[in-house]
Amino acid sequence: MKKILFLLLITSITFAQNANRNYLSHTWKNNLLEVKTSDGTYRIKAYSNKIVETSFIPNGEVFNPNSHAVIKTQEKINATVSKTNSSISLVTNNITVVINKSPFRITYSNQGKVLLSEKNGYIKKDSTEILQFNLDNSEMLFGGGARALGMNRRGNRLALYNRAHYGYETRAELMNFCIPLVLSSKLYAVHFDNGAIGHLDLDSKKNNTLEYETISGRKTYQVIVGDTWEDLISNYTDLTGKQPMPARWTLGNFSSRFGYHTQEEVEKTINRFQSDNIPVDAIILDLYWFGKEVKGTMGNLDWDKDQFPNPEKMIADLKAKGVKTVLITEPFILTTSSKWQEAVDKKVLVTDKSGKPATWDFYFGNTSVVDIFNPEGNQWFWNVYKRLINQGVGGMWGDLGEPEVFPSKVFTAAGKADEVHNIYGHHWAKLIADGYQKDFPNQRPFILMRAGYSGSQRFGMMPWSGDVSRSWGGLQSQMEIAMQMGMQGMAYMHSDLGGFAGDYFDNELYLRWLQYGVFNPIFRPHAQEDVASEVAYKDVHTKAKAKKAVELRYQLLPYNYTLAFDNNQIGTPLMRPLFFEEPTNEKLLNEKESYFWGNAFLIKPITKAGVMSTEIYFPKSNNWFDFYTGKKYTAGSTETVAVAETSIPTFVRGGSFVPMIETIQNTSKYSLENFNLHFYFDDSVKTSTGKVYNDNGETPNAFEKGQFEILNFKGNSNGKELIIKLSTTVGKNYITTDKNVSVMVHNIKAKRIFVNGQETVFKTNNETLSIPITWKKGTTPEIKIEY
């Protein structure tokens, strides 16, 4: 099979060109620029002013228009093509593509700033096909999927072959999500729109070369630009799809381990959480739900009635307590499983070259895999999920979806194993998302998976970082993995809180990981059962401290749910690198621990034992306030901060609104009829805005259906008085209610307070005001504070 090699040279602009490629002609028709050369045709089109796609089709080949990643259609923009004797230019409001005729070269610029250019363009060699680019030799590179390498990934050669790395710690060169996307510190990205396996070389030879290599497929790439990092990621997720709103319960606490062996154990565990008043929203059942043993039963995909005698009642009883049931599933059907013969008879498995079901050995037994690319296999697998959802199951966990072992000799309906390996998890998530949309259109799916591809976020996939070591080293890599994946559209990347692999017993590590998890997209402790992962099973002292973390997670639900809404609408990650605000600060480009949680919070996880103090840089855009003590830190300063045992360093941006609620047992009790609105006053911030997004937490596309409300907050100060205004945006199909709001204004010494023009008695505690507001629906309360 041919190999394709995309070779991008990161260099300055002047190089020898491909003397063998000659420009022949070009056409501009239906917003498509076709450039014919002596050895093939370029197809160049602008999806928008900030996204341009280029494909090369060698002579004798036919263009393949099918993308597994891209869903965007071309916008109606004012793209123009002009020509001179020496060049052709495709111009949008942002990107300009210049095709130099002789020597042949394609150059991409953003508003006059050169980003990259093809050097030799397409070159066919004995076993490879190559594309070459000239790029800037000073830029830092990000992307390539989930890895633990450091934020700047330049200097690494990355395999593009989704594979689990069991028990990894501080370095993992190959993991479960291999995304063929490179982002540059120059605020552009190149996405290679091809799903087959290969390599991505980020200048490993130190010769200013970025190399993309694959065994087959499309010679298509998109160049994406942005005015800011947020804009760049928004444009990329426009191209590949936005993450749907998750169900609100998925932002709560999960009870999970490997694993619960019996129905009695499941019920006992949830009772333990509730008797200790520890919030919990779901329990996840690992592979014992379908078999007593780890080996030999995978593929049963049905309840082991000896261990779970009445699963429907169990699920219903849990639901009555506000707790969802989530089940693990795998695409592997063992020859010893109860579903083997059915899968063979219905021809839903991958095959060997003779057309018979392909089988091979791996850890769990002798196996095959469901061919989800085969319509019959796809429907057969969905019918399994449909049956479970009808039993009341609230969410699905798809494990081993790399697929974990997938021999090259195997055939699927979409091609050989190596051609579809990296897109298997992607299409598995699509299978479940499509099934929900068809058969359960009023439910938001929960799809927890550890393997995917460019654009998997649009199916609602919740990725996690695999079987991380239960160690300090394992914790140290998690911020980088989550931030990098957020930059690549997968904003819900998270880890097994506390660590998964091993029986390392360290309560300090466990607490620090959970404290970090409060400010994570998903809060899901999970581990091998040698050491309990659940807060409810910890010793009395550890449990009390861990419970505080869980409670804070629930108190922040209004804020976190609003972050989910922003991600859904514009693609902004929940976890954001500090360089988002200071994109030219080279030190921050390498910062892999501190991060922003939304716009309001600055977080510094504690990733080593016995830490009593830590150094923190406070971004220069605002002053910052300690979330727990209220202490002020000056914008742009670097300070040594004391570290408490009960929390990690957490700071709030001056001028931020932070909506919170009191602790609830689970999200079935969630309501905004009573909530606290914290405002972190900073006299240097003259205007502040904030919001809370609210809907029923369940209906898909509630915002688009008009089934929502947005509570808007605005603050204005002039050095003498602060005015806070509250207003509501209500969807046409939403019934809002009156609300009782406790407005908590931090860091202010008030003289007088007026609510809706009436002077009001107020409470103050350590320069924090507490102002009760009865917010009648349809009204716009106003608070004036003289200080």
Side-chain angles (χ1 to χ4, degrees):
M1 186 177 291
K2 291 189 299 182
K3 290 185 179 180
I4 298 170
L5 181 68
F6 284 87
L7 191 74
L8 297 100
L9 298 184
I10 306 176
T11 53
S12 54
I13 301 305
T14 305
F15 284 89
Q17 301 302 314
N18 185 350
N20 296 321
R21 176 164 301 114
N22 299 311
Y23 165 84
L24 299 179
S25 65
H26 74 274
T27 59
W28 170 243
K29 187 177 181 181
N30 298 326
N31 295 312
L32 175 68
L33 175 62
E34 286 198 348
V35 181
K36 292 190 180 300
T37 72
S38 52
D39 62 342
T41 301
Y42 282 90
R43 294 169 53 95
I44 305 172
K45 67 178 182 180
Y47 279 103
S48 70
N49 288 311
K50 296 182 178 181
I51 305 172
V52 169
E53 176 180 282
T54 299
S55 300
F56 184 77
I57 305 94
N59 288 339
E61 295 189 16
V62 177
F63 175 62
N64 175 8
N66 298 317
S67 171
H68 298 283
V70 172
I71 61 168
K72 186 177 178 63
T73 56
Q74 281 185 276
E75 296 178 13
K76 293 181 179 179
I77 60 171
N78 187 28
T80 60
V81 169
S82 60
K83 63 179 180 178
T84 67
N85 290 335
S86 60
S87 67
I88 306 134
S89 298
L90 170 62
V91 181
T92 75
N93 289 347
N94 289 82
I95 298 178
T96 297
V97 186
V98 178
I99 299 99
N100 195 64
K101 293 181 181 179
S102 181
F104 192 90
R105 181 176 61 210
I106 302 178
T107 302
Y108 300 88
S109 302
N110 180 19
Q111 296 184 330
K113 178 183 177 182
V114 173
L115 302 176
L116 72 162
S117 63
E118 286 195 1
K119 180 185 177 182
N120 281 324
Y122 173 78
I123 305 170
K124 184 175 181 180
K125 293 195 172 181
D126 291 341
S127 61
T128 62
E129 295 174 282
I130 298 170
L131 287 174
Q132 290 184 335
F133 292 72
N134 302 315
L135 308 176
D136 187 343
N137 62 4
S138 65
E139 60 200 297
M140 295 186 180
L141 301 177
F142 311 90
R147 323 266 175 170
L149 300 168
M151 287 299 287
N152 180 14
R153 293 179 170 180
R154 188 167 181 168
N156 293 283
R157 185 172 187 264
L158 309 176
L160 296 176
Y161 188 89
N162 290 352
R163 176 176 288 169
H165 184 158
Y166 178 82
Y168 71 92
E169 294 192 22
T170 57
R171 187 169 180 86
E173 296 183 13
L174 179 61
M175 293 178 64
N176 318 67
F177 290 85
C178 295
I179 297 177
L181 173 68
V182 181
L183 301 101
S184 166
S185 56
K186 290 170 65 176
L187 289 178
Y188 74 89
V190 182
H191 175 248
F192 298 100
D193 194 356
N194 185 39
I197 67 170
H199 284 85
L200 191 61
D201 192 316
L202 308 183
D203 194 25
S204 67
K205 298 181 178 65
K206 309 299 182 186
N207 60 355
N208 297 323
T209 302
L210 170 68
E211 182 174 287
Y212 171 74
E213 179 180 4
T214 183
I215 61 165
S216 64
R218 308 173 78 217
K219 293 164 275 291
T220 295
Y221 61 92
Q222 293 91 26
V223 176
I224 307 141
V225 303
D227 300 328
T228 62
W229 277 106
E230 291 90 342
D231 185 43
L232 178 61
I233 295 166
S234 181
N235 295 331
Y236 170 72
T237 51
D238 277 348
L239 182 72
T240 60
K242 295 288 195 287
Q243 180 103 19
M245 276 297 289
R248 187 181 286 115
W249 66 266
T250 65
L251 300 181
N253 178 31
F254 289 78
S255 177
S256 185
R257 66 161 60 187
F258 178 26
Y260 302 109
H261 295 258
T262 65
Q263 179 173 334
E264 181 182 13
E265 191 174 358
V266 169
E267 293 167 342
K268 175 185 173 184
T269 298
I270 293 303
N271 288 339
R272 186 83 169 260
F273 272 94
Q274 297 197 328
S275 64
D276 287 339
N277 295 315
I278 301 169
V280 64
D281 257 277
I283 187 164
I284 301 180
L285 276 59
D286 213 311
L287 46 74
Y288 297 114
W289 75 271
F290 56 73
K292 300 175 186 64
E293 304 296 333
V294 171
K295 296 183 179 181
T297 59
M298 189 172 290
N300 284 350
L301 295 171
D302 206 349
W303 296 94
D304 181 333
K305 290 298 184 70
D306 292 335
Q307 306 299 96
F308 294 85
N310 196 340
E312 290 90 346
K313 184 178 186 304
M314 178 191 76
I315 293 168
D317 289 348
L318 291 172
K319 185 177 180 180
K321 297 178 179 180
V323 177
K324 302 289 192 298
T325 302
V326 179
L327 299 183
I328 194 173
T329 57
E330 299 90 358
F332 292 89
I333 309 297
L334 268 56
T335 56
T336 53
S337 74
S338 61
K339 289 283 191 297
W340 172 256
Q341 194 57 49
E342 177 186 334
V344 170
D345 293 343
K346 294 190 175 182
K347 298 182 178 180
V348 300
L349 301 171
V350 297
T351 64
D352 58 24
K353 62 182 179 181
S354 72
K356 296 179 180 179
T359 58
W360 59 92
D361 292 328
F362 80 140
Y363 176 80
F364 297 95
N366 186 252
T367 194
S368 189
V369 160
V370 178
D371 187 354
I372 59 173
F373 303 100
N374 174 352
E376 287 77 15
N378 189 293
Q379 186 60 49
W380 181 86
F381 210 7
W382 169 246
N383 286 340
V384 170
Y385 291 112
K386 185 176 180 179
R387 169 174 49 82
L388 295 170
I389 297 166
N390 280 324
Q391 290 176 355
V393 172
M396 297 301 171
W397 172 12
D399 200 14
L400 314 184
E402 295 77 26
E404 182 162 288
V405 178
F406 202 33
S408 299
K409 66 181 181 180
V410 169
F411 288 82
T412 76
K416 293 190 70 175
D418 288 348
E419 295 174 313
V420 302
H421 179 95
N422 286 348
I423 59 173
Y424 190 95
H426 180 76
H427 282 272
W428 186 12
K430 181 179 187 298
L431 179 161
I432 298 173
D434 288 350
Y436 265 94
Q437 194 171 49
K438 176 178 177 290
D439 292 325
F440 305 97
N442 296 319
Q443 291 186 40
R444 298 180 191 174
F446 176 73
I447 305 172
L448 176 67
M449 289 198 169
R450 78 175 195 187
Y453 176 65
S454 312
S456 290
Q457 71 274 357
R458 69 176 179 263
F459 306 127
M461 182 188 287
M462 302 293 189
W464 94 96
S465 60
D467 294 340
V468 59
S469 167
R470 192 186 330 219
S471 65
W472 290 100
L475 173 58
Q476 287 162 19
S477 60
Q478 295 311 306
M479 288 62 70
E480 172 198 344
I481 292 170
M483 285 189 285
Q484 288 268 0
M485 287 291 280
M487 292 168 65
Q488 298 170 74
M490 303 288 286
Y492 288 84
M493 173 57 83
H494 66 286
S495 62
D496 292 339
L497 299 183
F500 174 80
D503 58 1
Y504 183 60
F505 184 81
D506 185 335
N507 283 332
E508 183 186 7
L509 170 66
Y510 177 79
L511 289 169
R512 290 305 190 200
W513 213 318
L514 263 64
Q515 290 162 3
Y516 159 63
V518 171
F519 304 97
N520 238 219
I522 300 293
F523 190 95
R524 188 183 55 81
H526 179 71
Q528 293 170 336
E529 60 186 332
D530 308 276
V531 179
S533 57
E534 304 92 340
V535 175
Y537 285 130
K538 292 299 181 181
D539 67 85
V540 62
H541 298 292
T542 304
K543 182 192 299 184
K545 296 170 186 173
K547 182 180 178 183
K548 292 291 184 185
V550 178
E551 289 174 339
L552 179 56
R553 175 71 177 188
Y554 277 78
Q555 291 161 18
L556 286 169
L557 274 170
Y559 179 83
N560 292 347
Y561 196 61
T562 303
L563 296 188
F565 174 69
D566 287 341
N567 172 257
N568 164 248
Q569 292 294 302
I570 58 177
T572 311
L574 287 75
M575 291 177 63
R576 307 166 191 176
L578 299 191
F579 62 72
F580 272 32
E581 291 194 6
E582 299 180 39
T584 60
N585 186 332
E586 290 192 15
K587 184 177 180 181
L588 294 187
L589 287 166
N590 287 300
E591 173 57 49
K592 63 178 183 178
E593 288 197 350
S594 295
Y595 63 94
F596 297 119
W597 177 243
N599 188 61
F601 286 97
L602 170 66
I603 307 298
K604 176 66 182 289
I606 299 302
T607 62
K608 294 180 181 178
V611 172
M612 304 298 290
S613 64
T614 188
E615 189 176 90
I616 295 175
Y617 171 72
F618 293 93
K620 64 183 182 181
S621 49
N622 291 89
N623 296 319
W624 298 84
F625 297 90
D626 188 300
F627 181 65
Y628 300 100
T629 69
K631 183 178 178 180
K632 181 179 178 179
Y633 293 88
T634 304
S637 66
T638 299
E639 303 278 353
T640 298
V641 174
V643 174
E645 183 184 63
T646 53
S647 62
I648 58 175
T650 304
F651 306 91
V652 185
R653 184 189 304 271
S656 292
F657 289 96
V658 179
M660 299 177 68
I661 59 171
E662 299 301 320
T663 303
I664 51 178
Q665 184 59 37
N666 52 57
T667 57
S668 68
K669 307 296 184 183
Y670 183 86
S671 171
L672 288 182
E673 291 185 7
N674 297 278
F675 72 96
N676 302 319
L677 179 61
H678 295 262
F679 179 66
Y680 287 80
F681 175 68
D682 183 350
D683 200 30
S684 68
V685 180
K686 301 307 178 186
T687 301
S688 302
T689 59
K691 68 176 184 288
V692 171
Y693 174 78
N694 191 35
D695 59 25
N696 67 9
E698 298 175 352
T699 302
N701 302 311
F703 178 74
E704 290 73 17
K705 295 173 182 175
Q707 299 175 15
F708 71 93
E709 65 178 345
I710 298 176
L711 312 182
N712 302 293
F713 320 123
K714 187 172 184 179
N716 289 286
S717 64
N718 60 13
K720 296 181 179 180
E721 62 182 26
L722 166 67
I723 296 176
I724 297 174
K725 296 181 179 180
L726 313 182
S727 62
T728 310
T729 304
V730 182
K732 63 182 181 180
N733 296 313
Y734 190 85
I735 300 174
T736 190
T737 59
D738 295 345
K739 295 173 175 62
N740 296 307
V741 186
S742 293
V743 179
M744 318 285 285
V745 184
H746 299 255
N747 192 45
I748 194 168
K749 294 180 179 179
K751 297 177 179 177
R752 303 170 73 192
I753 295 179
F754 299 83
V755 175
N756 297 327
Q758 299 294 316
E759 188 165 2
T760 302
V761 176
F762 58 91
K763 298 178 182 178
T764 183
N765 181 23
N766 295 327
E767 295 189 10
T768 298
L769 302 178
S770 179
I771 308 165
I773 300 291
T774 300
W775 188 354
K776 296 290 186 179
K777 61 183 180 180
T779 65
T780 55
E782 179 178 297
I783 302 168
K784 183 171 77 171
I785 302 171
E786 296 179 355
Y787 60 93

